[in-house]
Amino acid sequence: MDRTRFPIDEWRLVETDHDPKDLGTTETLFAVGNGYLGMRGNPEEGRDAHTHGTYVNGFHEVWQIRHAEDAHGFARVGQTIVNVPDTKVIKVYVDDEPLTLDVADLDEYERTLDFSSGVLRRKVIWRTSAGKRVQINTTRMVSFAQRHLAIMTMDVTMLEGDAPIVISSQVLNRQDGHDDYSAAPVHNDPRKQETLDRRILDPITQWCGDGRIMLGYRAHESRMTLAVGVDHSLFTDNHYSEQVSADPDSGKMVYRINAQQSVPIHLEKLVAYHSSRSVPVRELIDRCRRTLDRAREQGVESVHDDQLAWLADFWKNADVELPGQPALQQAVRWNLFQVAQATARAEAYGVAAKGVSGPGYSGHYFWDTEIYVLPFLTYTLPQAARCALRFRYTMLEAARKRAAEMAQLGALFPWRTINGEEASAYYAAGTAQYHIDADIAYALVKYVNATGDIDFLLHEGVEILVETARLWADLGFWRTNGDKEFHIHSVTGPDEYTTVVNDNLFTNVMARFNLARAAETVNELRVRNPDAYARVAKRLDLQEREVDEWARCAAAMYVPYDHEVGVHPQDMHFLEREVWDLSNTPADKRPLMLHYHPLVLYRFQVLKQADVVLAMFLLGDDFTPEEKRANFEYYDPITTGDSTLSAVVQSIMAAQTGYHDLALRYFYAGLFVDLADRHGNTSDGVHVASAGGVWSALVYGFAGMHDNDAKLCFQPRLPESWPELRFRLHWRDTRLLVTLRNDQMRFEVVSGPGIRVQVGAEQFDLDPSEPTTVPLSGQGERRRGEIVQWPLKGGYREDGSLITASVPRSRDG
């Protein structure tokens, strides 16, 4: 990061100079949201902008997907998040001259996003063309305490000279209207949002009066409804007049002010958004009125106080501290704050890959939530984790229908979706990723183990476990090869550069976990709570023999291993392919997916993201230390990192296998994915999964936490250059503060009863009355240097053939 422009501040992201060349990136970095409502960091003036954006989680439009060649079971309905009417715009004119940042003569400029208050602030001192100086301060906040509320303020003061000032506060339906200041770029990047060439929001009602504007819409095809209400109050001793207006696609509150030097002008703009799958617009309008009335009665200052209190509690439970490293501390807090902004008030909806910060991936929900975001939520915001899992439960009926459409029993959750239906038109890297079923089951089991939320398990969680286990038992098949083995064919693992394969290791070991835990949960329920078991069995038509079959499938699951090369192949035929020589691949050919046809990628040993390595992280007890090291050393040099999901996982496993320098390098790569725009697409929105993965890299990686079998254990791997790592955890009813140094690990029970933890091979009972300090005599083996792409040195497959490495080249090189 350019520290002359973005100086280090442990509790704020600060920008000291406006630069129009990276508007898309900074719009994402300075976005504000609460998981339900999100507003990009667009300037108040409405121009210039890369992507104007205001998003309501789950509010989407649909369309029929047209396949060039159709087939049964292909995704039928596309879904994309809607850019809801924009209430951020507050234009300022002095002597009829508009403030436009890219051409304005600015004496001062500062913009800050405060992680402790959740407020975006901007201060400018503008020297107009007439030589008058004007100070304009603005704030923007999306409330964590009040899910549907956002508040904006503007303070304008003439520092030198008097002038007529016009403030035009607006609501604009940019989704269907024409933006005069930016145009959507043409792209072939699958990470971006689809563009529809028709009207999306049908106007239903509009009203204005007494400083208030109300607009209501219905999405044309999805039939979802939306209402937005805006309330204005102006405070000044200057003489002014006002005029309010509204039409189907916009609303304006215009103030004309005879501004005197040093006489301040203060504008408060309260905004409410309400949406629904079916509630009539008139009812949503009433809800907006109630939200605005309550906020007005409470007062802006009090709403800000509630925000401070909410975030104080959040940081008390979620903060991770790196004393003496302010640059890293700032970046860590920015990432954790982004996870909060994407999840805190998502509630009845899922967590999109970009949260509510941008249109990337069309606002779809992926497996990102369960594997990368839920660990953080489970240990810091367990109620948010519960909501995310309950959202998957609400999709269960659609998942059952999808499984039936795919000729399977049980439930098959969609690879990417908003409304519960599969929206991935490219099945090879979409529907074929059956592992999402096991990812959801894995997150569910981890959540229950960490929180002890048996109520959720009995009423909803067990149903997810049963239906996903049924899917795996039906999808796989038995084969006798000396011993009886259970195989799963024609699936795609996390690595999307290798698709539709047999016995993908990640899928098989995760399915094994899913099957075993489902069987254990049902059997335990039958013994401990026969009445609850009887209700579940009746509701799901559950038979004891199928539960026994799940256990047999898990015990006999085939896990590929190549004795000649000494690694677990990513899939049954992975090692038969030639190796992609990443070290000699030109930088302008990255990411590979934008420069090579999928078939080219599928023919090589090359990974978009960690696959076997991720399996070793999630299910570490299933692999020996020797297997972890051998697998990591094999796969790391052929992992491109073209996915932002990869670096944090590689960091964790590098730490576990002793490659501490490499672990730190990968950690930095994950930490600055967005802050340094490392993948060139931060403009599409925050990479929420990577942000959540930063927490995992710190806690699972450097602190070495693992929580298998409902036990809290640590094998710390703190970087030598770090003096200290401090973090918080929720475990059952206990809140812990954990401090890790190179020579000791300290546990303090902040609240709740004492618990037992394990550090290395020793167990310790934590006393709530005093901290427990565990001396450390080293933190594992430390291997120096890099991992060389070993196939360049030569290597042999099990059949004796030589493995070679190369780079595919077109005729023009």
Side-chain angles (χ1 to χ4, degrees):
M1 297 180 69
D2 178 0
R3 290 304 184 181
T4 63
R5 182 181 169 204
F6 299 102
I8 296 170
D9 186 314
E10 293 188 358
W11 281 104
R12 301 184 305 163
L13 180 65
V14 181
E15 180 189 42
T16 61
D17 184 34
H18 175 74
D19 189 342
K21 293 193 293 294
D22 61 357
L23 285 175
T25 299
T26 55
E27 287 166 9
T28 293
L29 298 184
F30 288 94
V32 290
N34 65 6
Y36 171 75
L37 172 65
M39 296 179 166
R40 286 177 63 76
N42 306 119
E44 282 75 7
E45 299 74 35
R47 52 178 178 168
D48 286 334
H50 176 277
T51 305
H52 289 290
T54 303
Y55 305 99
V56 169
N57 192 355
F59 188 78
H60 68 281
E61 181 59 311
V62 299
W63 73 95
Q64 293 298 311
I65 298 175
R66 296 183 178 180
H67 298 277
E69 295 185 18
D70 209 348
H72 176 77
F74 278 14
R76 301 295 176 195
V77 179
Q79 307 150 37
T80 188
I81 195 168
V82 173
N83 188 1
V84 300
D86 183 4
T87 56
K88 301 187 301 294
V89 179
I90 309 176
K91 297 184 178 182
V92 179
Y93 303 81
V94 177
D95 288 327
D96 290 330
E97 179 182 349
L99 172 60
T100 307
L101 290 184
D102 62 331
V103 297
D105 183 2
L106 300 180
D107 286 353
E108 291 186 28
Y109 173 93
E110 183 182 76
R111 178 166 56 163
T112 64
L113 179 61
D114 191 318
F115 314 142
S116 63
S117 68
V119 177
L120 176 66
R121 295 182 174 89
R122 195 190 70 184
K123 174 185 177 181
V124 299
I125 296 181
W126 170 34
R127 188 181 298 272
T128 71
S129 298
K132 299 176 182 180
R133 297 174 71 243
V134 191
Q135 180 170 324
I136 303 172
N137 295 351
T138 62
T139 69
R140 183 184 302 163
M141 182 193 79
V142 174
S143 174
F144 286 107
Q146 300 190 46
R147 185 175 188 241
H148 300 275
L149 180 68
I151 290 182
M152 287 153 270
T153 68
M154 175 176 281
D155 290 279
V156 183
T157 304
M158 294 298 303
L159 300 180
E160 295 178 10
D162 304 336
I165 290 179
V166 174
I167 298 178
S168 178
S169 175
Q170 302 181 11
V171 186
L172 300 175
N173 174 17
R174 297 186 185 276
Q175 181 68 65
D176 298 299
H178 295 287
D179 188 341
D180 296 332
Y181 307 114
S182 64
V186 177
H187 63 80
N188 65 342
D189 189 338
R191 300 168 296 182
K192 296 183 180 293
Q193 181 186 32
E194 295 90 352
T195 301
L196 302 182
D197 58 358
R198 58 168 172 79
R199 187 174 184 96
I200 292 175
L201 294 176
D202 293 330
I204 302 299
T205 188
Q206 59 274 335
W207 175 89
C208 64
D210 296 328
R212 185 169 286 188
I213 300 168
M214 311 291 275
L215 301 176
Y217 299 89
R218 181 183 293 114
H220 190 77
E221 295 294 339
S222 74
R223 312 304 287 170
M224 293 192 73
T225 50
L226 175 86
V228 55
V230 184
D231 199 40
H232 298 85
S233 296
L234 189 76
F235 305 90
T236 184
D237 289 332
N238 294 296
H239 180 268
Y240 72 92
S241 63
E242 62 184 49
Q243 183 178 9
V244 63
S245 61
D247 61 44
D249 284 323
S250 67
K252 288 184 182 181
M253 185 72 198
V254 179
Y255 296 96
R256 295 177 174 84
I257 308 159
N258 295 321
Q260 306 298 307
Q261 181 174 312
S262 302
V263 179
I265 303 163
H266 177 70
L267 174 67
E268 294 177 353
K269 184 175 185 178
L270 312 183
V271 177
Y273 289 86
H274 282 268
S275 61
S276 175
R277 297 180 179 90
S278 58
V279 171
V281 169
R282 63 179 179 274
E283 166 64 17
L284 299 183
I285 290 287
D286 289 341
R287 295 180 188 180
C288 285
R289 287 196 178 100
R290 291 195 292 270
T291 299
L292 294 174
D293 290 344
R294 183 171 57 249
R296 179 56 64 200
E297 291 170 6
Q298 182 180 355
V300 168
E301 184 176 348
S302 178
V303 174
H304 277 267
D305 288 344
D306 288 347
Q307 184 88 334
L308 283 168
W310 193 97
L311 281 165
D313 187 64
F314 168 76
W315 289 114
K316 182 177 69 176
N317 291 290
D319 196 15
V320 179
E321 297 172 81
L322 298 174
Q325 303 188 81
L328 296 185
Q329 184 68 79
Q330 178 191 41
V332 166
R333 286 195 175 122
W334 182 89
N335 278 275
L336 300 186
F337 181 66
Q338 295 309 316
V339 181
Q341 291 201 130
T343 64
R345 301 307 303 270
E347 297 175 3
Y349 295 99
V351 180
K354 300 295 184 181
V356 283
S357 67
Y361 289 113
S362 299
H364 289 170
Y365 314 129
F366 293 77
W367 70 308
D368 302 29
T369 303
E370 283 73 26
I371 297 302
Y372 291 88
V373 178
L374 270 176
F376 170 75
L377 297 181
T378 294
Y379 285 100
T380 61
L381 289 174
Q383 178 58 35
R386 192 181 202 271
C387 287
L389 289 166
R390 285 205 74 253
F391 171 72
R392 288 296 192 184
Y393 175 76
T394 65
M395 296 171 59
L396 190 55
E397 189 56 42
R400 290 187 179 106
K401 293 178 181 178
R402 180 59 173 164
E405 186 177 32
M406 298 297 292
Q408 305 293 163
L409 300 178
L412 177 58
F413 284 94
W415 178 242
R416 55 188 297 178
T417 190
I418 298 177
N419 63 12
E421 297 181 6
E422 179 61 76
S424 176
Y426 186 56
Y427 76 87
T431 296
Q433 297 205 49
Y434 285 78
H435 66 82
I436 190 171
D437 265 26
D439 303 333
I440 294 169
Y442 177 90
L444 166 62
V445 171
K446 291 288 186 177
Y447 166 79
V448 173
N449 285 345
T451 63
D453 190 352
I454 302 301
D455 181 70
F456 173 72
L457 178 65
L458 293 182
H459 288 91
E460 295 166 339
V462 67
E463 197 161 336
I464 294 175
L465 291 176
V466 166
E467 296 291 23
T468 51
R470 282 172 167 166
L471 182 282
W472 293 119
D474 185 53
L475 179 66
F477 63 94
W478 292 95
R479 174 177 290 172
T480 301
N481 185 16
D483 296 321
K484 200 171 185 182
E485 299 169 339
F486 192 74
H487 293 258
I488 299 174
H489 283 189
S490 297
V491 296
T492 298
D495 169 34
E496 294 174 354
Y497 285 175
T498 312
T499 67
V500 193
V501 297
N502 295 341
D503 290 316
N504 168 254
L505 179 133
F506 179 91
T507 302
N508 284 19
V509 298
M510 291 292 284
R512 179 172 64 185
F513 176 91
N514 192 165
L515 288 159
R517 292 303 182 274
E520 290 171 9
T521 300
V522 171
N523 287 330
E524 185 175 357
L525 183 63
R526 181 168 52 209
V527 172
R528 294 194 175 188
N529 194 333
D531 291 340
Y533 170 77
R535 290 192 295 270
V536 169
K538 182 178 180 180
R539 186 169 75 245
L540 302 180
D541 190 22
L542 183 61
Q543 307 295 320
E544 290 187 22
R545 63 178 179 275
E546 70 171 317
V547 179
D548 294 339
E549 176 69 4
W550 302 341
R552 285 193 295 272
C553 293
M557 183 69 69
Y558 176 74
V559 179
Y561 184 80
D562 188 288
H563 293 276
E564 182 70 27
V565 180
V567 300
H568 288 87
Q570 184 170 293
D571 58 75
M572 185 180 290
H573 300 292
F574 187 80
L575 297 183
E576 296 174 9
R577 303 181 181 96
E578 298 304 312
V579 177
W580 194 297
D581 184 358
L582 285 178
S583 61
N584 289 307
T585 301
D588 62 1
K589 295 295 186 182
R590 308 284 290 272
L592 302 184
M593 62 185 176
L594 299 185
H595 300 280
Y596 296 92
H597 191 282
L599 285 176
V600 176
L601 300 174
Y602 298 164
R603 297 185 185 113
F604 283 80
Q605 292 186 49
V606 63
L607 279 61
K608 182 182 179 187
Q609 65 202 65
D611 194 304
V612 173
V613 171
L614 177 59
M616 295 192 301
F617 160 48
L618 298 179
L619 297 170
D621 290 349
D622 291 2
F623 301 87
T624 68
E626 294 75 20
E627 288 172 341
K628 289 180 181 179
R629 179 183 173 186
N631 287 334
F632 182 73
E633 290 178 344
Y634 186 95
Y635 287 105
D636 195 68
I638 57 174
T639 303
T640 63
D642 287 350
S643 168
T644 58
L645 300 179
S646 201
V648 289
V649 174
Q650 290 170 278
S651 175
I652 293 168
M653 290 310 302
Q656 286 192 17
T657 54
Y659 287 99
H660 287 237
D661 295 339
L662 193 56
L664 200 54
R665 194 183 81 187
Y666 280 132
F667 173 71
Y668 293 149
L671 183 64
F672 288 96
V673 158
D674 286 316
L675 287 168
D677 194 16
R678 292 179 56 88
H679 288 249
N681 64 342
T682 297
S683 58
D684 298 327
V686 172
H687 292 86
V688 176
S690 180
V694 165
W695 184 89
S696 291
L698 289 162
V699 175
Y700 283 107
F702 297 137
M705 187 180 85
H706 53 102
D707 50 357
N708 300 323
D709 298 322
K711 294 186 294 186
L712 197 57
C713 307
F714 297 89
Q715 291 278 2
R717 296 288 190 271
L718 187 70
E720 288 177 307
S721 60
W722 287 15
E724 186 173 292
L725 167 64
R726 195 157 56 234
F727 58 94
R728 286 90 177 144
L729 290 175
H730 270 240
W731 180 261
R732 303 295 174 94
D733 296 323
T734 300
R735 286 179 51 233
L736 289 178
L737 173 62
V738 184
T739 303
L740 174 62
R741 301 188 181 101
N742 279 292
D743 62 344
Q744 67 177 36
M745 197 165 194
R746 183 175 184 269
F747 300 90
E748 180 181 349
V749 177
V750 178
S751 65
I755 60 172
R756 176 172 292 182
V757 300
Q758 182 172 320
V759 180
E762 290 189 71
Q763 294 187 346
F764 301 87
D765 290 317
L766 306 186
D767 186 341
S769 64
E770 60 180 353
T772 300
T773 300
V774 178
L776 300 175
S777 57
Q779 298 192 24
E781 184 178 356
R782 296 183 184 267
R783 297 183 172 88
R784 305 297 178 183
E786 299 293 317
I787 300 174
V788 178
Q789 189 175 8
W790 67 266
L792 294 176
K793 299 179 178 178
Y796 292 88
R797 301 184 181 86
E798 193 170 9
D799 62 5
S801 60
L802 178 67
I803 301 173
T804 60
S806 61
V807 180
R809 299 187 182 277
S810 60
R811 182 173 296 177
D812 60 5

